[in-house]
Amino acid sequence: MKAKVTPLHERIGKDIESLILSGELSPGDRIPFEHELMELYGCARMTVSKALSALNAAGLIDRRKRAGSFVSRPKMHAMILEIPDLEVEIEGRGEVYEYRQLTRTVRPAAEMNEEEVGLAGGGMLLDISGLHIANGIAFALEDRLISLNAVPDAIQSDIAGMAPGAWLLRHVPWTEAENRIAAINADHRTAKLLQMAQRDACLVVERRTWRGDERITFVRQMFVAGTYDLTARFGAHQKKPSA
Amino acid sequence: MKAKVTPLHERIGKDIESLILSGELSPGDRIPFEHELMELYGCARMTVSKALSALNAAGLIDRRKRAGSFVSRPKMHAMILEIPDLEVEIEGRGEVYEYRQLTRTVRPAAEMNEEEVGLAGGGMLLDISGLHIANGIAFALEDRLISLNAVPDAIQSDIAGMAPGAWLLRHVPWTEAENRIAAINADHRTAKLLQMAQRDACLVVERRTWRGDERITFVRQMFVAGTYDLTARFGAHQKKPSA
DNA sequence: CAGTGGTCTAGACCACGAA
DNA sequence: TCGTGGTCTAGACCACTGG
């Protein structure tokens, strides 16, 4: 038997967590004081503190000086959204993934377009369009702009069969990203390229990424409705707000 | 001046974090050993350890015994998705929010519908439809099923002007939730209720919530395309996988 | 095998804020 | 006021694992 290799602070955390999730402790209830827990578990205060700090960071409890620690109320304003790598996703289903480049140009930002001007940062833009294809059927149209100011190497990325997103992920570290998810009716070009009827619904994902304050890329992906959807899961209360 | 009230372990963490985000430390680089950092900052090892543990929990670094701590490569397939409370969202824009109930029935699960059977858990379902309205204009249609097995009190929730989602949030703690996001063309009923042309695109959010193993509710919200979209933001690398 | 991170101790001082 | 959590110390032993 390999029994207890579980750290004590982790065990304390799990104990309290299960009390909360089982309902024995309800939101608002006070958790035993640190000195009570250190007596209960026969350990030093730092050990208890580590356990409670972890629960606090996870958003399971709120800690107030002089008052104690309390089970926090689930607020549910944030969930984890999976942003799948399309290639991995498709091949995970046992289908054949392919990326087909449609156009590729280097051009300056359109002056009236704030998005492009901000992205370019005074430099040129690499403008790439392509199709994501599963088992020979195009399911997504991607229009991407890359700041050559931020990623000069991108101009050499002439790998025809590689999606620019995958290339970027491997070559350019990013620090921040933002996704916008919406639905629109397919315009003429999109409908034609994705072989769908005009005005058919599309799921649109727009993604912007930064490295520090520098804009890296802007991409808009149009998915044929019904062939693709996003899933966000959430377990055990909300995450803490990032600083 | 109020200067330094920032805890030392936090300062150490921020220092290293900015080295990473600025690019001075690249993914794969080794960061100084704990004993080097404790010498550098003139503090105890526990303090350094606390800082590094936090960075590790945040997914910024990987720690390997005998080898040291290393800047982790951003893999990032998950982002934080904001799931806004519609009422708060709308009123935050300075518009007037209103929920108008359309139908409300208690019925058993349709036997051929797995979703409903699983949700009901042998009991009855509360079936509610309603419109979310901003400034007098309906922007979302909501169809919701609530398990009366899990939430018997829901049958008393006769507050006409209160969205069932808001009521549930205040009365029923949940432990797990899942969202599915997709786009579809509006069907006849939806188009009529939301005063949009048939086949106009809709953003669809389907949400399932659990309390432990017990299903609580299933809701489908149809949003008029263009009037609503979801945003997911992400800063500083991926979250750790939850146990 | 030797050095790393992981864990833990038994103290300490302090700021905060509920009483 | 004064008990609480927040932080920190100066040690310690151990498991793991890379060299």
Side-chain angles (χ1 to χ4, degrees):
Chain A
M1 50 193 289
K2 57 191 294 290
K4 308 220 326 175
V5 280
T6 312
L8 180 55
H9 69 84
E10 207 167 292
R11 224 174 62 77
I12 298 176
K14 289 291 180 189
D15 282 357
I16 297 173
E17 183 178 333
S18 43
L19 286 178
I20 294 173
L21 295 185
S22 72
E24 294 183 56
L25 285 174
S26 301
D29 285 358
R30 212 204 75 235
I31 283 178
F33 296 124
E34 291 192 352
H35 70 84
E36 292 175 327
L37 287 172
M38 68 185 270
E39 202 170 315
L40 181 59
Y41 285 92
C43 65
R45 192 163 80 95
M46 275 247 27
T47 306
V48 172
S49 175
K50 190 165 190 174
L52 295 187
S53 294
L55 290 176
N56 180 244
L60 267 169
I61 65 173
D62 294 323
R63 315 192 71 186
R64 295 200 300 274
K65 294 179 183 182
R66 179 61 202 244
S69 300
F70 300 82
V71 179
S72 63
R73 300 173 195 283
K75 288 218 165 175
M76 155 66 136
H77 284 83
M79 300 181 64
I80 305 291
L81 175 67
E82 307 279 338
I83 300 292
D85 181 319
L86 293 178
E87 179 167 1
V88 172
E89 178 105 329
I90 296 304
E91 299 192 331
R93 298 187 202 166
E95 304 178 6
V96 178
Y97 173 82
E98 186 189 347
Y99 173 79
R100 187 179 305 148
Q101 185 173 289
L102 297 173
T103 66
R104 185 175 189 279
T105 61
V106 175
R107 60 174 178 82
E111 280 183 27
M112 347 87 75
N113 188 323
E114 257 187 65
E115 179 77 44
E116 293 191 6
V117 171
L119 177 58
M124 298 290 276
L125 293 174
L126 179 59
D127 184 339
I128 303 178
S129 295
L131 292 172
H132 295 275
I133 299 169
N135 273 357
I137 299 175
F139 68 96
L141 166 63
E142 172 175 319
D143 295 314
R144 181 182 292 269
L145 296 172
I146 301 173
S147 164
L148 288 175
N149 230 9
V151 197
D153 288 350
I155 208 165
Q156 306 165 354
S157 65
D158 259 334
I159 312 103
M162 189 174 189
W167 184 89
L168 279 173
L169 259 185
R170 296 192 191 182
H171 292 75
V172 185
W174 53 269
T175 60
E176 210 155 332
E178 177 184 311
N179 281 34
R180 186 177 151 268
I181 304 163
I184 63 169
N185 293 103
D187 58 18
H188 181 67
R189 166 175 172 262
T190 305
K192 189 177 170 190
L193 288 170
L194 295 179
Q195 300 183 17
M196 55 200 292
Q198 204 162 340
R199 287 186 46 74
D200 267 3
C202 286
L203 185 67
V204 188
V205 175
E206 288 180 353
R207 186 172 304 143
R208 297 168 176 80
T209 61
W210 287 259
R211 176 179 187 166
D213 290 332
E214 194 174 42
R215 296 282 313 265
I216 295 179
T217 187
F218 169 74
V219 60
R220 169 184 288 207
Q221 296 170 324
M222 313 268 293
F223 295 90
V224 180
T227 68
Y228 193 78
D229 53 54
L230 296 165
T231 302
R233 286 194 185 72
F234 192 75
H237 307 251
Q238 80 282 4
K239 295 294 168 191
K240 64 175 184 298
S242 59
Chain B
M1 49 193 291
K2 56 193 295 290
K4 306 220 327 174
V5 278
T6 312
L8 180 55
H9 68 86
E10 206 167 293
R11 225 175 61 78
I12 297 176
K14 289 292 181 191
D15 283 356
I16 297 173
E17 182 178 334
S18 42
L19 285 179
I20 295 174
L21 295 185
S22 71
E24 294 182 58
L25 286 175
S26 301
D29 286 357
R30 213 203 75 235
I31 70 180
F33 296 124
E34 290 192 352
H35 71 84
E36 291 176 327
L37 286 171
M38 69 184 270
E39 203 169 314
L40 181 59
Y41 285 93
C43 66
R45 192 164 79 97
M46 274 247 26
T47 306
V48 172
S49 175
K50 190 165 191 173
L52 295 188
S53 294
L55 290 176
N56 180 243
L60 267 169
I61 64 174
D62 294 323
R63 314 190 72 187
R64 294 201 303 273
K65 294 180 183 183
R66 180 61 205 248
S69 299
F70 301 82
V71 179
S72 63
R73 302 174 193 282
K75 285 219 163 176
M76 169 46 134
H77 288 82
M79 300 181 64
I80 305 292
L81 175 68
E82 307 280 337
I83 300 292
D85 181 319
L86 292 178
E87 178 165 2
V88 172
E89 178 105 329
I90 296 304
E91 298 192 332
R93 297 187 203 166
E95 303 178 6
V96 178
Y97 172 82
E98 186 189 346
Y99 173 78
R100 185 178 307 149
Q101 185 173 291
L102 296 174
T103 66
R104 184 176 191 279
T105 61
V106 176
R107 60 174 178 81
E111 280 184 26
M112 348 86 75
N113 188 325
E114 257 187 66
E115 179 77 44
E116 293 191 6
V117 171
L119 176 59
M124 298 290 275
L125 294 174
L126 179 59
D127 183 339
I128 303 178
S129 294
L131 292 172
H132 295 274
I133 299 168
N135 273 358
I137 299 175
F139 67 96
L141 167 62
E142 172 175 318
D143 296 314
R144 181 182 293 268
L145 296 172
I146 300 174
S147 163
L148 288 176
N149 229 9
V151 197
D153 288 349
I155 208 165
Q156 306 166 355
S157 65
D158 259 334
I159 313 104
M162 189 173 190
W167 184 89
L168 279 173
L169 261 184
R170 296 191 191 182
H171 292 75
V172 185
W174 54 270
T175 59
E176 209 155 332
E178 176 183 312
N179 281 34
R180 185 178 152 269
I181 305 162
I184 63 169
N185 293 104
D187 58 17
H188 180 68
R189 166 174 172 262
T190 306
K192 190 177 170 188
L193 288 170
L194 295 178
Q195 299 183 18
M196 54 201 290
Q198 204 162 341
R199 288 187 46 75
D200 266 3
C202 285
L203 185 67
V204 188
V205 175
E206 289 179 353
R207 187 172 303 143
R208 299 167 176 81
T209 61
W210 286 259
R211 176 179 188 167
D213 290 332
E214 195 173 41
R215 296 283 314 266
I216 294 179
T217 186
F218 168 74
V219 59
R220 167 184 288 207
Q221 296 171 323
M222 313 268 294
F223 295 91
V224 181
T227 67
Y228 192 78
D229 54 53
L230 296 165
T231 303
R233 286 194 185 72
F234 192 75
H237 306 251
Q238 79 283 3
K239 295 294 170 192
K240 64 174 182 298
S242 60

